[in-house]
Amino acid sequence: ASKASNISNFFHNNRPLQVIAIAYAVVWIGAAIAPHDRFDWFLENILVVIWLAVLVASHRTLRLSNLSYLLIALFLSIHTIGSHYTYSLTPAGFWLQSALELERNHYDRVVHFLFGLLMFLPIREILMRRAGVDGRWSFALPFALILALGSFYEMLEWGAAQVISPDAALAFMGTQGDIFDAQKDTTLAAAGAVLGLVAVALLPARARGP
C-alpha cells in the first residue's frame, strides 16, 4: 500500500515537476491564442496532445527523472512556439537568419536538431525502464529510435500534404522551397542525438537515469 501511495502521490509531492507542468501550460495557452494559421496550429498540436496524454496516463507506472521531464517540456515549448507562428514565420528564426546572413528562416532546422538533443535522455530512460535496455545498447537504441521518429515525422508531413489543401500543407511542412528539406531535418536530428549521446555519457551515473 505504501508503494502504491508513493506512486499515486508522485506528481502531487514533486514541486519541480509541478513548476515544469505549469510553465508549459502557460506557453501552450499563450501559443493557442490567435495563432497565425489556426489549421497549421491544430496539425502541429495533434502529436503534442498524444504525447502529453501518454505521459499523463503512464506517469504512475513509468516515472521519468525530473531532468527528463524538463527536457521534454523544453522541446515541446520550442515546438509550441513554432506552432503559433508557423515554423517558417517564427520571429526567432528571422533573428537567426539576419544574424548569420542565412537565405531562409531556419527555425524548423533548430527544432529538429533540438529534438535529437533534448529527447535523447528521456527516450533512453524509457527504454531502460520499460525494455530493460542497458550498457551500450542504452546509447545505441535511443539514437536509432530518434532517427526512426524523425523519419516517421517527415512521412507524416508528406501524408498531410497529400490529403489537405496545398496552402495548409506548405505551412505545415515548412520546406520554404527546399527540395531536400526532409533529408536535412533528419540529418540535424541525428546530429542533435549524437550531441545528446555525448552529453548523457558525460553526466554522473546517478543523473543518467536507471
Side-chain angles (χ1 to χ4, degrees):
S2 176
K3 182 178 180 180
S5 178
N6 288 337
I7 293 175
S8 65
N9 291 327
F10 172 60
F11 180 79
H12 297 91
N13 296 333
N14 192 329
R15 184 58 59 85
L17 184 55
Q18 293 173 8
V19 172
I20 291 170
I22 292 172
Y24 177 68
V26 170
V27 172
W28 192 89
I29 293 171
I33 299 173
H36 176 78
D37 185 324
R38 176 62 70 180
F39 188 58
D40 177 68
W41 174 89
F42 171 77
L43 291 175
E44 299 284 5
N45 278 276
I46 291 176
L47 291 180
V48 171
V49 172
I50 294 174
W51 179 241
L52 290 177
V54 170
L55 284 178
V56 172
S58 65
H59 84 277
R60 295 178 182 236
T61 56
L62 178 59
R63 292 187 292 172
L64 303 180
S65 66
N66 284 342
L67 177 56
S68 280
Y69 284 122
L70 175 61
L71 294 175
I72 292 171
L74 286 175
F75 172 73
L76 291 180
S77 295
I78 294 166
H79 170 77
T80 299
I81 291 170
S83 74
H84 176 82
Y85 296 100
T86 74
Y87 275 18
S88 302
L89 300 176
T90 302
F94 286 125
W95 175 85
L96 185 65
Q97 179 182 3
S98 177
L100 301 180
E101 298 183 354
L102 303 173
E103 295 182 356
R104 70 192 286 278
N105 186 320
H106 280 271
Y107 189 80
D108 61 326
R109 303 269 195 256
V110 173
V111 174
H112 281 278
F113 174 79
L114 291 178
F115 172 73
L117 175 62
L118 298 178
M119 294 302 294
F120 186 89
L121 178 61
I123 290 175
R124 181 175 183 268
E125 281 193 21
I126 292 172
L127 289 173
M128 294 180 74
R129 293 178 187 274
R130 300 299 288 184
V133 175
D134 59 10
R136 294 179 180 178
W137 286 110
S138 70
F139 290 94
L141 289 182
F143 175 79
L145 188 54
I146 285 173
L147 287 183
L149 290 173
S151 298
F152 178 66
Y153 184 77
E154 296 299 331
M155 288 188 284
L156 284 180
E157 287 189 331
W158 169 78
Q162 300 300 307
V163 299
I164 63 179
S165 67
D167 290 341
L170 288 175
F172 180 51
M173 296 177 67
T175 60
Q176 300 182 61
D178 188 348
I179 61 173
F180 296 111
D181 180 73
Q183 291 87 342
K184 292 176 182 177
D185 288 347
T186 304
T187 300
L188 282 168
V194 169
L195 187 57
L197 186 155
V198 173
V200 172
L202 294 176
L203 284 174
R206 185 177 179 182
R208 295 179 192 168

